[in-house]
Amino acid sequence: MKILAVIPARSGSKGIPNKNIRLLAGYPMIYYAINNAKKSNYISDIIVTTDSPEIQIIASQMGVDCKWRSFELCKDDVTLDAVVYDAIPNSTIWDYIITLQPTSPTLSVKTLDQAIRVTMDLNLDTLISVVNSPHLTWRDEGGIKIPNYTKRLNRQYLAPLYVETGTFLITKACFVSPESRIGPNVDVFEVPADEAIDIDNFDDLYNAANILCKEKVAIYVNGNNTRGIGHIYRALEMADEFYTKPDIYYDSNQTDPSVFGITTHSLISVNGIGELFEKCKINQYTIFINDILSTSIDYMIGLRTVLPKAKIINFEDDGEGAIKADAVFNALYDDGNMPHIYGGEQYYISGKLFLFYHPITIKEKVSTIFICFGGADPENYTDRILEIIVTEKYKDYHFIVALGRAKTNIKSLLEYNHYPNIEVIYDVSNMPELMSKSDIAIASRGRTCYELAMLGIPTISIAENDRENRHSFVSGENGFAYLGIDPENKMIEEYLDMYLGMSQKVRQHYQNILISHNLRNGRKNVMNIINNL
């Protein structure tokens, strides 16, 4: 079977000057059509038809023949049929002629070869590339607008509507003439939307460049009762920052998939690092994010081995493996001592909902107290504080207690809802709304304190572990009361009483300090660094 690819590429584009030789992702646009034809398992010959000396040089450097196109065949009113017919020396030599447009640089050789295979298997005369784009459409009949449908339906229930893409047209050589390239037995081949771009304007050019430069992203994250699940929340926020759908890996030995909540992101379970590395080796990600706390040298070397071209980014990594990452973000620590380690509050990534809430109004007296110790609360601070606030002296205050997905004794804690002044809520869907109802808060020394600071809520903080004890942001100078690790109940009660009796003026002072920190641009700061690696 002999198949000829004809690539028409003239020089006179008016909308986008030098369109066919503009660089996209480092290569001239014409390169992609030639490269697809060369890599195809079925195309045996290639001819570029052009009036451009630059395109002729590019084709020659890529080892492809050129047919110089006459001025008459470069006019705007000349059809592509005549151009393709002119480029074929002798149509009896080939079985099929494929027109490949250089203005469709995002087409993959895999899709092209699938289309060629379908054409041959079905013995089609012609196969035309299309996208399926069902829409509610209208037509004009003598100035009257008529709908092309009988019933208005959601898009997914509409009948297919195939729109030609111009990406490729495959036809038997005997049907190529100056007037047509379509035989009687014709069909269409649906091309993925991101491979169907036909560059006609600068918006198309911009979209094509983004597709060709699109990163392949993976995130490896674990969360549980011991580790906490703030990593899970951050991983899901990071996943939304890319213009692609990342693969999110988790170790089934460390993480219950339920901690991810309801999500349409791609969650992939692995049984240990070995399986993770195998999947990375197959998929060859260009960006790989670790949100697993400290990494080892061996782990990072292994990851570098299977992903030699990837940018590797770690979060909250103070292990020895951090030195092997391209960037490390430690928003909770401000102790980065290497140029690739970025520490401090400016790299905190808040939940999207918090960006739509304003700081609370500081009232004359405290009436509502918010209590939350993250997604897991392994030290059971929630239990201890509930035992304190059920006493008679707190009956006139309203306590809102938020329990995370990884908390283990949910059922027993929900029983505190029997008290009229205590509201215990599990797996909160709108945390900023819940926090905004409070006047003060008691929280662990992690992500939650950043959220409370964004809302300007005076907060008493207690660390869950040694790692949290190092979180430098939560301090007196930043507007918090920090009680350390595992303070006695008496100390917790004393600070609670102090905050309950604190004047409006003092609480306003603390709020002013809290909201003076810029905690809303963290994701922008992080993504700027990742994109510039």
Side-chain angles (χ1 to χ4, degrees):
M1 185 74 67
K2 289 184 69 64
I3 298 176
L4 170 68
V6 176
I7 303 172
R10 66 172 182 166
S11 61
S13 174
K14 296 181 178 65
I16 305 177
N18 302 313
K19 178 166 68 173
N20 287 321
I21 60 172
R22 280 184 177 248
L23 296 181
L24 281 176
Y27 295 98
M29 192 185 302
I30 184 69
Y31 163 88
Y32 293 97
I34 296 174
N35 193 50
N36 277 340
K38 291 185 69 174
K39 286 188 173 181
S40 169
N41 291 319
Y42 301 103
I43 293 172
S44 52
D45 299 283
I46 308 167
I47 292 177
V48 174
T49 167
T50 187
D51 63 335
S52 163
E54 292 85 0
I55 290 174
Q56 189 177 41
I57 291 169
I58 293 169
S60 175
Q61 290 298 307
M62 293 185 71
V64 171
D65 292 333
C66 265
K67 170 67 168 67
W68 192 258
R69 198 190 309 182
S70 66
F71 173 76
E72 288 72 21
L73 287 175
C74 292
K75 294 179 181 178
D76 291 340
D77 60 350
V78 175
T79 67
L80 208 52
D81 302 315
V83 172
V84 173
Y85 180 78
D86 174 72
I88 304 172
N90 183 352
S91 62
T92 61
I93 297 176
W94 294 283
D95 299 283
Y96 288 95
I97 307 297
I98 301 177
T99 307
L100 283 179
Q101 294 274 43
T103 51
S104 297
T106 60
L107 175 69
S108 71
V109 69
K110 178 181 177 182
T111 299
L112 175 61
D113 276 358
Q114 287 173 344
I116 297 172
R117 184 75 259 169
V118 166
T119 306
M120 295 189 297
D121 288 346
L122 299 180
N123 195 26
L124 297 172
D125 295 332
T126 304
L127 186 68
I128 302 172
S129 63
V130 299
V131 285
N132 182 14
S133 183
H135 284 86
L136 296 173
T137 60
W138 294 66
R139 65 186 183 276
D140 189 315
E141 292 187 2
I144 299 174
K145 306 304 185 290
I146 308 294
N148 292 322
Y149 55 86
T150 56
K151 184 178 179 181
R152 295 186 69 86
L153 298 170
N154 289 337
R155 184 178 175 183
Q156 61 267 35
Y157 299 113
L158 293 172
L161 179 64
Y162 296 116
V163 180
E164 290 190 30
T165 68
T167 307
F168 58 76
L169 188 148
I170 307 170
T171 195
K172 287 183 177 178
C174 59
F175 294 111
V176 177
S177 72
E179 293 80 29
S180 175
R181 289 167 293 146
I182 298 177
N185 183 18
V186 64
D187 203 346
V188 297
F189 186 89
E190 190 174 337
V191 175
D194 62 351
E195 296 186 33
I197 289 182
D198 183 10
I199 295 176
D200 189 51
N201 54 51
F202 281 99
D203 286 340
D204 297 333
L205 190 70
Y206 180 81
N207 291 334
N210 284 337
I211 290 171
L212 291 169
C213 296
K214 184 167 63 177
E215 303 282 10
K216 192 171 185 181
V217 183
I219 301 172
Y220 181 44
V221 61
N222 285 308
N224 50 47
N225 181 263
T226 302
R227 185 189 298 262
I229 59 172
H231 314 281
I232 303 292
Y233 298 136
R234 179 169 48 222
L236 293 173
E237 291 293 338
M238 283 300 300
D240 285 348
E241 286 302 301
F242 295 96
Y243 295 104
T244 186
K245 192 173 183 177
D247 289 335
I248 302 178
Y249 291 97
Y250 65 95
D251 190 331
S252 58
N253 302 298
Q254 303 180 50
T255 301
D256 188 313
S258 65
V259 299
F260 288 93
I262 299 172
T263 179
T264 56
H265 276 296
S266 301
L267 304 180
I268 304 172
S269 168
V270 293
N271 183 16
I273 298 301
E275 186 177 353
L276 173 68
F277 285 177
E278 283 300 315
K279 291 183 180 294
C280 288
K281 190 174 182 180
I282 293 169
N283 288 294
Q284 286 303 301
Y285 300 104
T286 58
I287 293 178
F288 192 92
I289 296 174
N290 291 297
D291 204 335
I292 55 174
L293 294 178
S294 301
T295 62
S296 68
I297 285 284
D298 289 343
Y299 168 78
M300 291 297 292
I301 290 175
L303 189 59
R304 284 282 184 202
T305 302
V306 295
L307 294 175
K309 297 181 180 179
K311 294 185 281 189
I312 299 179
I313 296 95
N314 296 358
F315 280 91
E316 287 187 35
D317 184 4
D318 60 353
E320 60 181 8
I323 195 172
K324 294 292 185 181
D326 292 299
V328 177
F329 297 100
N330 285 333
L332 292 165
Y333 317 123
D334 197 8
D335 56 357
N337 55 5
M338 287 183 280
H340 76 294
I341 295 180
Y342 303 89
E345 65 202 52
Q346 64 267 40
Y347 304 110
Y348 164 66
I349 298 172
S350 74
K352 286 182 285 294
L353 291 181
F354 282 90
L355 301 175
F356 295 91
Y357 281 77
H358 298 290
I360 65 166
T361 299
I362 299 297
K363 301 173 186 173
E364 183 179 352
K365 292 184 178 180
V366 173
S367 62
T368 302
I369 301 91
F370 176 79
I371 298 167
C372 180
F373 287 91
D377 185 17
E379 296 301 317
N380 293 319
Y381 288 139
T382 304
D383 311 48
R384 289 171 56 184
I385 292 175
L386 281 167
E387 291 173 4
I388 293 171
I389 64 177
V390 295
T391 58
E392 182 68 15
K393 72 173 179 178
Y394 298 113
K395 64 182 179 64
D396 294 328
Y397 296 98
H398 179 215
F399 293 90
I400 299 174
V401 183
L403 307 178
R405 295 178 197 150
K407 185 67 174 161
T408 57
N409 57 334
I410 299 298
K411 187 175 180 181
S412 64
L413 295 181
L414 288 174
E415 292 178 1
Y416 280 90
N417 281 311
H418 294 143
Y419 293 87
N421 66 323
I422 298 176
E423 183 181 359
V424 182
I425 304 172
Y426 169 65
D427 194 13
V428 178
S429 60
N430 188 348
M431 188 63 82
E433 179 69 21
L434 199 63
M435 290 178 172
S436 294
K437 296 177 180 179
S438 66
D439 301 300
I440 63 171
I442 307 175
S444 54
R445 202 187 191 198
R447 172 192 178 98
T448 307
C449 278
Y450 274 127
E451 296 168 345
L452 291 164
M454 289 180 70
L455 299 176
I457 301 173
T459 298
I460 302 165
S461 179
I462 307 171
E464 296 270 11
N465 48 48
D466 289 334
R467 193 179 187 96
E468 279 195 2
N469 193 39
R470 293 174 46 217
H471 293 178
S472 57
F473 177 73
V474 181
S475 62
E477 66 176 322
N478 288 334
F480 295 90
Y482 175 52
L483 308 190
I485 302 176
D486 194 24
E488 293 183 358
N489 282 10
K490 183 179 179 181
M491 184 179 182
I492 297 173
E493 188 172 342
E494 287 175 352
Y495 269 84
L496 174 59
D497 292 346
M498 181 177 70
Y499 266 63
L500 292 175
M502 191 176 287
S503 70
Q504 182 182 23
K505 182 179 180 180
V506 174
R507 284 183 283 114
Q508 184 66 63
H509 171 69
Y510 284 144
Q511 183 186 76
N512 292 341
I513 298 173
L514 291 169
I515 63 177
S516 68
H517 301 279
N518 185 1
L519 300 174
R520 295 175 179 268
N521 291 327
R523 64 181 65 223
K524 178 182 177 181
N525 295 335
V526 168
M527 289 307 299
N528 281 343
I529 291 170
I530 291 175
N531 291 333
N532 286 300
L533 287 175

